[in-house]
Amino acid sequence: MVFDPTSTLLATGGCDGAVRVWDIVRQYGTHHFRGSPGVVHLVAFHPDPTRLLLFSSAADAAIRVWSLQDRSCLAVLTAHYSAVTSLAFSADGHTMLSSGRDKICVIWDLQSCQATKTVPVFESVEAAVLLPEEPVSQLGVKSSGLYFLTAGDQGTLRVWEAASRQCVYTQARPPGPGRELTHCTLARTAGLLLSATADHNLLLYEARSLRLQKQFAGYSEEVLDVRFLGPEDSHVIVASNSPCLKVFELQTSACQILHGHTDIVLALDVFRKGWLFASCAKDQSVRIWRMNKAGQVICVAQGSGHTHSVGTVCCSRLKESFLVTGSQDCTVKLWPLPKALLSKNTAADNSPLLLQAQTTQRCHDKDINSVAIAPNDKLLATGSQDRTAKLWALPQCQLSLPWTRCWPQPQLMAPSSSGRSRTSALPTSRPGDISCPTPSSLQTFEGHDVAFVSRGTQLLSSGSDGLVKLWTIKNNECVRTLDAHEDKVWGLHSTPESSSGRL
């Protein structure tokens, strides 16, 4: 469906092969055009409302020109061999541009209803936009001739010169799937260009330079993990059922979409200072990202070596020195952070550094669901689908004795046992707390994701019932239940004790 330039008429095309026009003000149908075979998937009004022309395209890949005044079909324009995806008109209304999935764009003279030029664009085009006839050096537009912009399955915006049939500008394509462009439209008066991607993200550009202005994340589905980011917990990282990460600024809800992984991101963790964080994914890799003071996030390091999906990651606690990953290949890997990564002189435009695993250890007989590092970085806890939790001495990843003094008092660990479980280490230590001579179960709480809060005296848990519960460890009492989700809760993260105490 589409509105006419006066916003008083609405045209619709349907599966019945009919094109209908509706008077929005008086609320009745004014025209009913038949003759299109199959589904009518595209309708467009001529930009000059005095000409009363309507264009449509159906399954036969032809473009029909309808006269609202004569209530008839004036012409059938044939040049495409596959579905026509968009129509655009010049400012004077004498020229029309059509795009199609047959990898061509056609320029039409509307006075003679003839095709004047066919431009091969070498991709299935979902939308094409005629640019204003004025020079724009940033986009390769050097004269006032006819130029147009295409968006399609290659995931990049490209500018073409109609006279030479040459591409004069190609936007850099971010890595990762789901970047195919499905729509594009130009807001001339605002000087903005809006495009939509296959994974339902909206990208808003400054039209003259194609500089990205804003991003709107539309694809979330299941949220697999969340983390606070920044020294003041000013941002939130979200890993959804997608290879892309979303970073939201809490104050403004502004979103930054991060590309790098090539398969679904499964887990996140943040280093102590809040500027660096790690992600792992089904693409068998781990990545480290850095946020600058302006809130912009880039990938600064990446590593690979696991032979199956990497389902859990944990960052060192004392300082930014290493991280640990656990995988479906039943192993954990310890990755030291390169010294160049921690240098303040590292340029923002450098390519990601390569992470090298220092230690690899087969820890369990089945998938490793969770890893947790002790607050002093000397002990690692792992949880697996083999229904065991184990303690390992770092950095060699040697199986620890039943009791070790590596874990600061109190010696508490909270493993959990679902398909996406978490093992949580107590974040703080206090002298005089209870310690156990051997590892033993102190309390049992229901839930598959856990986090210590209130200086280790309470525990947060989430479960498949969508509830988040607050427990007092001493007496095993649930003191509060938060009911806001409608389905399983996969991710749980609380701010440090010194901050606002948000969840």
Side-chain angles (χ1 to χ4, degrees):
M1 64 173 63
V2 66
F3 280 97
D4 81 325
T6 66
S7 298
T8 59
L9 296 178
L10 176 71
T12 59
C15 297
D16 56 359
V19 177
R20 296 173 182 266
V21 182
W22 311 84
D23 188 316
I24 299 300
V25 178
R26 297 181 178 85
Q27 301 181 8
Y28 72 96
T30 61
H31 298 76
H32 185 187
F33 297 117
R34 291 189 176 275
S36 302
V39 177
V40 177
H41 58 264
L42 180 65
V43 286
F45 280 101
H46 191 279
D48 184 358
T50 62
R51 298 185 65 173
L52 294 175
L53 294 178
L54 176 65
F55 299 78
S56 69
S57 184
D60 61 350
I63 302 170
R64 286 172 171 78
V65 186
W66 308 92
S67 170
L68 301 185
Q69 185 173 4
D70 299 337
R71 298 177 180 271
S72 62
C73 180
L74 297 181
V76 179
L77 313 181
T78 56
H80 287 278
Y81 301 96
S82 187
V84 179
T85 53
S86 71
L87 299 174
F89 301 88
S90 62
D92 59 12
H94 299 321
T95 304
M96 182 179 71
L97 172 71
S98 64
S99 66
R101 297 196 179 108
D102 50 7
K103 303 183 180 183
I104 62 172
C105 289
V106 181
I107 298 171
W108 303 86
D109 181 351
L110 293 182
Q111 293 177 322
S112 62
C113 290
Q114 296 294 321
T116 60
K117 201 174 293 290
T118 299
V119 181
V121 294
F122 312 107
E123 71 168 329
S124 178
V125 180
E126 295 298 326
V129 175
L130 280 172
L131 298 177
E133 295 185 14
E134 56 185 33
V136 183
S137 59
Q138 299 97 316
L139 302 182
V141 180
K142 300 179 180 179
S143 64
S144 57
L146 192 65
Y147 290 81
F148 61 92
L149 180 144
T150 59
D153 60 5
Q154 292 186 9
T156 61
L157 297 174
R158 297 193 293 170
V159 178
W160 299 81
E161 183 182 25
S164 63
R165 297 183 175 91
Q166 296 295 316
C167 177
V168 296
Y169 175 86
T170 301
Q171 182 189 43
R173 188 183 193 276
R179 293 292 297 167
E180 298 84 359
L181 298 175
T182 59
H183 192 70
C184 185
T185 184
L186 177 67
R188 294 178 182 271
T189 55
L192 296 173
L193 183 79
L194 181 68
S195 67
T197 67
D199 53 2
H200 311 298
N201 297 322
L202 300 178
L203 309 177
L204 191 64
Y205 297 94
E206 198 275 321
R208 293 186 63 86
S209 64
L210 289 187
R211 183 172 59 88
L212 187 62
Q213 298 275 30
K214 289 185 179 180
Q215 301 177 82
F216 303 90
Y219 183 79
S220 56
E221 215 172 83
E222 288 187 349
V223 176
L224 301 182
D225 208 355
V226 290
R227 286 293 185 273
F228 285 103
L229 181 64
E232 303 297 329
D233 301 320
S234 57
H235 294 69
V236 168
I237 325 158
V238 178
S240 58
N241 197 16
S242 166
C244 303
L245 290 170
K246 285 88 174 178
V247 179
F248 294 93
E249 184 180 5
L250 293 178
Q251 187 174 2
T252 63
S253 295
C255 176
Q256 184 179 355
I257 302 171
L258 307 180
H259 302 275
H261 286 289
T262 57
D263 208 336
I264 294 173
V265 179
L266 297 175
L268 305 165
D269 200 21
V270 181
F271 284 93
R272 181 177 180 179
K273 293 182 180 179
W275 296 110
L276 287 175
F277 70 94
S279 62
C280 60
K282 286 185 176 182
D283 60 9
Q284 306 174 13
S285 74
V286 59
R287 286 180 176 260
I288 298 178
W289 310 77
R290 174 186 283 134
M291 184 178 73
N292 61 21
K293 293 184 179 180
Q296 297 300 309
V297 180
I298 60 170
C299 180
V300 292
Q302 60 181 337
S304 59
H306 285 287
T307 58
H308 288 82
S309 298
V310 186
T312 179
V313 62
C314 188
C315 301
S316 55
R317 300 309 183 194
L318 277 181
K319 55 183 180 179
E320 298 171 341
S321 56
F322 68 93
L323 58 91
V324 175
T325 56
S327 168
Q328 288 184 2
D329 61 13
C330 306
T331 68
V332 297
K333 289 182 180 289
L334 187 145
W335 310 80
L337 267 61
K339 292 183 179 179
L341 181 63
L342 304 176
S343 173
K344 295 182 180 179
N345 298 324
T346 303
D349 57 349
N350 285 351
S351 58
L353 300 174
L354 183 64
L355 295 175
Q356 296 286 351
Q358 174 182 318
T359 305
T360 300
Q361 179 65 257
R362 181 179 175 88
C363 297
H364 292 272
D365 296 327
K366 291 186 178 181
D367 300 2
I368 296 175
N369 294 326
S370 56
V371 292
I373 298 173
N376 63 359
D377 289 346
K378 293 183 179 180
L379 200 66
L380 171 70
T382 60
S384 168
Q385 288 190 17
D386 62 10
R387 299 177 180 271
T388 63
K390 296 181 180 180
L391 302 180
W392 307 82
L394 295 176
Q396 295 82 11
C397 261
Q398 295 175 340
L399 190 62
S400 178
L401 295 173
W403 168 245
T404 176
R405 284 289 177 181
C406 292
W407 209 289
Q409 291 184 344
Q411 287 79 14
L412 291 181
M413 178 181 69
S416 51
S417 59
S418 78
R420 277 189 52 81
S421 61
R422 292 285 191 273
T423 301
S424 180
L426 188 65
T428 59
S429 62
R430 295 178 294 148
D433 279 326
I434 299 174
S435 62
C436 304
T438 58
S440 61
S441 175
L442 300 180
Q443 299 286 0
T444 300
F445 306 91
E446 295 180 359
H448 63 69
D449 205 352
V450 291
F452 284 104
V453 292
S454 305
R455 298 186 179 274
T457 62
Q458 292 181 308
L459 190 73
L460 281 166
S461 72
S462 63
S464 59
D465 53 6
L467 301 178
V468 177
K469 295 188 176 185
L470 178 64
W471 305 84
T472 299
I473 294 176
K474 186 176 181 180
N475 56 14
N476 197 18
E477 179 184 358
C478 177
V479 296
R480 189 170 183 185
T481 299
L482 307 177
D483 185 5
H485 293 279
E486 297 178 355
D487 208 336
K488 299 175 183 178
V489 179
W490 290 125
L492 188 66
H493 190 218
S494 62
T495 58
E497 304 291 342
S498 58
S499 63
S500 58
R502 291 175 293 182
L503 170 66

